[in-house]
Amino acid sequence: DIQMTQSPASLSASLGETVTIECRASEDIYNGLAWYQQKPGKSPQLLIYNANSLHTGVPSRFSGSGSGTQYSLKINSLQSEDVASYFCQQYYDYPYTFGAGTKLELK
Amino acid sequence: QIQLVQSGPEVKKPGESVKISCKASGYTFTQAGMQWLKQAQGKSLKWMGWINTNTGKTTYAADFTGRFVFSLETSASTAYLQITNLKNEDMATYFCARARYGWFAYWGQGTLVTVSS
């Protein structure tokens, strides 16, 4: 199975700040990577697919980048509604696997 | 609009069975397979597998063989997840999701399964 190592596990940032979350795959996943946002008690919401494609309706302050085994999610100009947990997921190979998550809080 | 609506929370005893439904609307049910995922409280997501809504063929992740069964009622655009012989470690929220190309663009609201004696 492809292991997804996500960092940091938690993150505290101020409104307006830029934050970056990283995900490292145990092997090359050829941009087969998605990012999700999950708020407490809700289902995950797709933000990014194919490593850098913004899902419909997702604010442009979210962006994804990376290649090979290293990927990142950047949130520009942090808003209060961005407080949530974030997960990466690889879909290059079965079984689909997720990172352990990053909990983003406001400072 | 595409919607996946799951059945309500369940409370079961160890050894019992549970069947969760996921009703799809807003698209042709057989256009995309139905995926199932598990999330224990405070944990990340685990992909359980998927069912081909055209053929009924199922694919299970290694941790979800034996006691887990995916099924369909195509006429009702509904997919099901059944878990038999429930164990404490099955206590979690279960999600159905649609993934045409590998990423999960549409999710059900989740069904909490509580296992308690």
Side-chain angles (χ1 to χ4, degrees):
Chain A
D1 298 2
I2 297 175
Q3 308 303 315
M4 303 301 293
T5 303
Q6 189 174 337
S7 61
S10 62
L11 184 52
S12 184
S14 302
L15 291 174
E17 209 173 312
T18 295
V19 301
T20 301
I21 299 168
E22 309 275 347
C23 215
R24 185 181 78 248
S26 58
E27 61 184 82
D28 196 327
I29 57 171
Y30 299 94
N31 282 17
L33 184 102
W35 290 97
Y36 301 88
Q37 177 193 70
Q38 186 178 31
K39 297 183 178 180
K42 301 292 187 184
S43 51
Q45 300 295 304
L46 176 68
L47 298 173
I48 302 284
Y49 61 95
N50 289 346
N52 56 24
S53 297
L54 196 66
H55 182 54
T56 306
V58 175
S60 59
R61 64 179 180 274
F62 291 91
S63 63
S65 63
S67 63
T69 62
Q70 296 278 141
Y71 298 87
S72 60
L73 172 71
K74 188 161 81 168
I75 310 172
N76 285 319
S77 189
L78 189 70
Q79 305 294 302
S80 56
E81 60 263 34
D82 301 334
V83 169
S85 292
Y86 293 83
F87 298 94
C88 61
Q89 175 230 340
Q90 69 80 20
Y91 49 87
Y92 172 68
D93 195 14
Y94 285 143
Y96 297 155
T97 47
F98 290 81
T102 296
K103 189 171 183 180
L104 176 58
E105 297 173 329
L106 280 181
K107 196 180 288 183
Chain B
Q1 75 282 21
I2 293 172
Q3 278 194 301
L4 301 175
V5 179
Q6 297 182 227
S7 48
E10 302 269 6
V11 179
K12 297 290 183 181
K13 291 180 166 51
E16 292 185 337
S17 297
V18 67
K19 193 170 185 177
I20 299 165
S21 66
C22 171
K23 183 169 176 58
S25 61
Y27 71 100
T28 302
F29 185 62
T30 51
Q31 262 183 356
M34 193 64 74
Q35 314 269 336
W36 290 95
L37 301 100
K38 174 185 178 183
Q39 187 173 38
Q41 178 66 33
K43 301 291 188 184
S44 184
L45 295 138
K46 284 203 78 171
W47 179 74
M48 301 174 68
W50 71 289
I51 182 165
N52 184 316
T53 51
N54 256 316
T55 65
K57 182 179 187 302
T58 53
T59 300
Y60 297 94
D63 287 348
F64 299 99
T65 57
R67 299 186 298 113
F68 301 84
V69 178
F70 308 143
S71 61
L72 301 170
E73 187 178 349
T74 306
S75 61
S77 298
T78 300
Y80 298 93
L81 163 65
Q82 183 170 19
I83 310 171
T84 58
N85 189 21
L86 280 161
K87 302 180 185 305
N88 289 335
E89 55 262 37
D90 296 326
M91 188 156 69
T93 297
Y94 293 86
F95 294 98
C96 61
R98 197 187 97 150
R100 288 187 73 182
Y101 304 109
W103 59 87
F104 304 105
Y106 301 97
W107 295 71
Q109 81 276 22
T111 297
L112 176 63
V113 174
T114 301
V115 182
S116 174
S117 52

